[in-house]
Amino acid sequence: MVDYHAANQSYQYGPSSAGNGAGGGGSMGDYMAQEDDWDRDLLLDPAWEKQQRKAETAANRICKVLAVNQENEHLMEDYEKLASDLLEWIRRTIPWLEDRVPQKTIQEMQQKLEDFRDYRRVHKPPKVQEKCQLEINFNTLQTKLRLSNRPAFMPSEGKMVSDINNGWQHLEQAEKGYEEWLLNEIRRLERLDHLAEKFRQKASIHEAWTDGKEAMLKHRDYETATLSDIKALIRKHEAFESDLAAHQDRVEQIAAIAQELNELDYYDSHNVNTRCQKICDQWDALGSLTHSRREALEKTEKQLEAIDQLHLEYAKRAAPFNNWMESAMEDLQDMFIVHTIEEIEGLISAHDQFKSTLPDADREREAILAIHKEAQRIAESNHIKLSGSNPYTTVTPQIINSKWEKVQQLVPKRDHALLEEQSKQQSNEHLRRQFASQANVVGPWIQTKMEEIGRISIEMNGTLEDQLSHLKQYERSIVDYKPNLDLLEQQHQLIQEALIFDNKHTNYTMEHIRVGWEQLLTTIARTINEVENQILTRDAKGISQEQMQEFRASFNHFDKDHGGALGPEEFKACLISLGYDVENDRQGEAEFNRIMSLVDPNHSGLVTFQAFIDFMSRETTDTDTADQVIASFKVLAGDKNFITAEELRRELPPDQAEYCIARMAPYQGPDAVPGALDYKSFSTALYGESDL
């Protein structure tokens, strides 16, 4: 930088020069004072004084001339020095003003502008005054020289006023262009700083955006992805491509800014260009990697779609095949239960049919496994790492092979089990036929005997004693038939041990036979008992054989189902036919209910022949009644309404007395005494007219 302060020297003309003239003026003053003294002396000596005045005048002229000459010489020396200094300052200043080398930063250019403004405000104004004073001094000197008849002053070469003006003009021209250049350069640097900052911002944003993008694009995550993952990766990649295309403008802007910085001669263009080139190279690399990744993703997608289609086909065929094997294993292990030879033969036929399907099933298994192998081959040949198993099924080839082996093992076991069961059912069939042949004889025999006994009990052939004899003969024949039943029981035991539950060869079961046998024995015994009771009743009541036959005829007539008992309506019809007033009015209903309470004390709803005989004999013969017994007890009680234990023991045999005491209720009447017993309720209970 030009040192303006060294070139900036101040010169004073006028007062300063006058001061210098004062030095010469001081001698002139002394001279004038002396002259005054001389004048005063000449006044005293006119001749000397005259002569003396002339000398003094001559001396005064000489001194005056010399003083002017000295002053002019001093002015010339000052001019020369001032002109030299001014020209030297101009010489030094013009190169500084003509220096157009730009600085790198705005701060440095602003400092140059500040220096220039300092030059205009501080350094140049004194020089303007010096130039003006120099011209004034030059003109004054020339005027003084001309007035003193001296030759004009000729400054040293190059120090003429015109030289100074020319230099000053050059200075003014340099100064004018310099300020304009400074302002333009500052504006240029401002533009450069703005562009550089814009470049840095956009470059930083772009670099931050691209950070990790290359690693992402180089990542081979698609090798382990599923089809759904690949589709997601492709959508993500498409979004990235859209983002990449959107960033193309930023890269172009970065390159355009770098180009403009180069055109504006930015001082740090090398680093800008290096960074811009790096961004462009990285951008090209990202474009190439993006294209490569898209190709890889699309290729992998096609391969995974092929694998996925194979997986789907595998699943569609493996699922029903797996279900078939599971059903087959379930059927082969099924604990079958059969009861006939036809059923086991049906199972054997079905099993043979199943075995005939095994070759086709094996071919289906091989085809399913081939699909799986093809998917594996595609994955391995394209370096695809399949993640996990088939997404459409959990049935793996290992499961299929394992279950197939299980089926192969179960088939011969099933064969053996079916053959064993066939043999068992053949044996059971023999037992069924053996039991059926015996049961078909025993069952009808029992049924025939039951019918014969029923006819005997209903028919009125012969006397009661003849019927009884006939029934006992039947009873002996039934007992003699028992070995046939025992044989059937033995055969049934074998059937039970063989767990045979049905027999199509007979309608008779052992339970039916047993029930029929027991009913037969019960019926014959009950029928014999009824005849015996009828004989007892006949003898006790004095009923003749003809009356007994009439009772039987009436009973059988109304026993429409020949069940051996009359229902309420049948019994009512029988009573009406016999002349009883039991019609459907209130009195008739009361009478019928009274009679039903006698013949059916247990309210079973049926009237047996024995009950019918008892009722009819009671109605037709003179028998004891509850009133007659009450009257007898009243005699024993001394006409009291109660009787005591002492009276009973006194009047009756001991066992009968104790029987009455144990069963008679305490008497509750107003005339009761301690130990009184109620013989009325006891008497009515004896005849079923009240509870005992």
Side-chain angles (χ1 to χ4, degrees), residues 76 80 138 142 152-156 160:
M76 291 177 188
E80 287 288 337
F138 180 79
Q142 295 292 30
F153 172 63
M154 292 297 293
S156 301
M160 296 291 289

Side-chain angles (χ1 to χ4, degrees), residues 348-553:
I348 292 174
S349 176
H351 184 63
D352 291 339
Q353 186 178 359
F354 166 75
K355 288 193 294 184
S356 68
T357 64
L358 290 178
D360 292 338
D362 192 31
R363 285 190 289 273
E364 177 66 10
R365 180 182 67 88
E366 292 293 340
I368 293 171
L369 296 180
I371 294 172
H372 177 76
K373 290 177 182 177
E374 177 63 15
Q376 292 289 339
R377 185 195 65 77
I378 293 174
E380 291 173 1
S381 61
N382 293 283
H383 307 290
I384 297 175
K385 299 175 183 177
L386 296 177
S387 57
S389 57
N390 190 322
Y392 299 109
T393 181
T394 58
V395 181
T396 64
Q398 294 77 14
I399 292 175
I400 290 177
N401 287 329
S402 174
K403 290 183 178 180
W404 179 254
E405 291 176 2
K406 183 68 173 176
V407 169
Q408 295 295 100
Q409 294 170 1
L410 290 173
V411 168
K413 293 182 179 179
R414 184 72 169 185
D415 289 334
H416 180 69
L418 289 173
L419 291 175
E420 283 189 347
E421 186 62 27
Q422 185 182 33
S423 176
K424 176 183 174 182
Q425 289 302 325
Q426 289 173 348
S427 175
N428 290 349
E429 182 66 13
H430 173 71
L431 292 175
R432 284 193 190 92
R433 292 180 180 276
Q434 187 178 27
F435 176 84
S437 63
Q438 182 69 13
N440 288 335
V441 173
V442 174
W445 183 89
I446 293 175
Q447 189 172 1
T448 300
K449 293 301 179 182
M450 287 287 291
E451 292 173 355
E452 291 177 354
I453 293 171
R455 285 197 302 272
I456 292 172
S457 63
I458 293 174
E459 292 175 353
M460 299 175 289
N461 297 328
T463 63
L464 292 176
E465 285 75 5
D466 293 338
Q467 294 178 13
L468 180 61
S469 175
H470 195 188
L471 288 171
K472 288 185 177 182
Q473 289 178 1
Y474 262 89
E475 184 179 27
R476 285 193 295 272
S477 66
I478 290 171
V479 172
D480 293 341
Y481 199 77
K482 184 65 166 56
N484 294 298
L485 195 67
D486 294 339
L487 177 60
L488 197 60
E489 285 285 1
Q490 294 173 3
Q491 294 172 348
H492 179 67
Q493 180 66 27
L494 295 176
I495 285 178
Q496 283 189 321
E497 292 174 355
L499 299 178
I500 299 172
F501 301 106
D502 59 348
N503 192 337
K504 67 178 182 178
H505 304 294
T506 181
N507 293 325
Y508 296 102
T509 65
M510 195 65 225
E511 186 64 26
H512 292 157
I513 298 294
R514 289 196 193 101
V515 171
W517 179 258
E518 290 171 358
Q519 285 180 348
L520 179 60
L521 293 178
T522 302
T523 299
I524 189 64
R526 185 175 61 248
T527 303
I528 290 173
N529 179 255
E530 287 179 355
V531 174
E532 290 175 342
N533 288 336
Q534 290 174 21
I535 292 172
L536 290 175
T537 302
R538 182 197 63 186
D539 295 342
K541 301 295 184 177
I543 301 173
S544 66
Q545 182 65 29
E546 289 76 11
Q547 287 178 316
M548 186 65 70
Q549 288 178 349
E550 289 177 2
F551 292 156
R552 168 58 72 179

Side-chain angles (χ1 to χ4, degrees), residues 607-675:
V607 179
T608 65
F609 182 65
Q610 183 62 43
F612 180 72
I613 293 174
D614 291 340
F615 171 73
M616 294 305 295
S617 63
R618 184 181 307 162
E619 293 295 319
T620 57
T621 59
D622 185 18
T623 57
D624 294 330
T625 64
D627 292 338
Q628 290 175 340
V629 174
I630 291 173
S632 298
F633 274 117
K634 192 170 186 180
V635 171
L636 296 179
D639 205 29
K640 299 192 299 293
N641 291 326
F642 60 87
I643 194 170
T644 64
E646 181 181 354
E647 290 171 338
L648 288 172
R649 290 189 180 100
R650 184 181 66 239
E651 300 295 339
L652 296 178
D655 55 340
Q656 293 181 349
E658 295 301 326
Y659 177 86
C660 292
I661 293 170
R663 285 164 175 75
M664 283 186 183
Y667 177 69
Q668 302 295 336
D671 54 343
V673 297

Side-chain angles (χ1 to χ4, degrees), residues 88-104:
E88 177 62 23
W89 179 81
I90 291 172
R91 184 188 63 77
R92 290 197 311 271
T93 304
I94 287 175
W96 176 70
L97 294 173
E98 290 180 342
D99 181 14
R100 298 293 192 271
V101 178
Q103 300 300 312
K104 294 182 178 180

